[in-house]
Structures are given as C-alpha cells and as structure tokens.
Amino acid sequence: MWWVTTQKNGASALGLQRVLGLKKYETAWTWLHKFRRAMVRPGRELLTGSVEVDECYLGVWRRVFPADSI
C-alpha cells in the first residue's frame, strides 16, 4: 500500500509486479485495483477551505521572457 500511495505519477500494475516480485501480471493488476477500491471511501466529503498540495502547481503558471532575450 505504501508503494502505491507514494508514486509521483501514479502506480502501475507492471511496477507493482516488479516491486513485489510477482510472477503474473494479472495478480498485480488485481491487487492494484483492490488497493484503489480500498482507498476510496463511499460518501466522502469534498475538500473545502485551504488545501495544501506538495509537488504540484495549481492554476496557470507561465514563464515570461523579456522581449530582448528571445
């Protein structure tokens, strides 16, 4: 479960298969989907107020270059 939740770009069944040393991809796929189902709580409330997110940009971010540096 720790490995699934700490992947920056999301967990894959192939990655889970490698980490756990499983022989069959289908087993890793099944386990990954069971983990994902277990992490979703039915009837959960939406986040409200100030929400802090690490390693993520929220909103639009654009680098502005001075006209003479192009």
Side-chain angles (χ1 to χ4, degrees), residues 9-56:
N9 295 322
S12 69
L14 185 59
L16 186 62
Q17 179 186 9
R18 289 177 185 153
V19 167
L20 296 178
L22 300 172
K23 296 197 185 274
K24 290 191 172 188
Y25 174 83
E26 291 79 12
T27 304
W29 187 90
T30 302
W31 283 15
L32 183 60
H33 283 288
K34 285 184 179 186
F35 286 146
R36 288 176 177 166
R37 248 184 285 137
M39 290 188 286
V40 175
R41 184 172 40 103
R44 65 189 184 277
E45 298 174 14
L46 296 177
L47 298 174
T48 59
S50 296
V51 178
E52 182 178 337
V53 180
D54 293 339
E55 299 182 26
C56 180

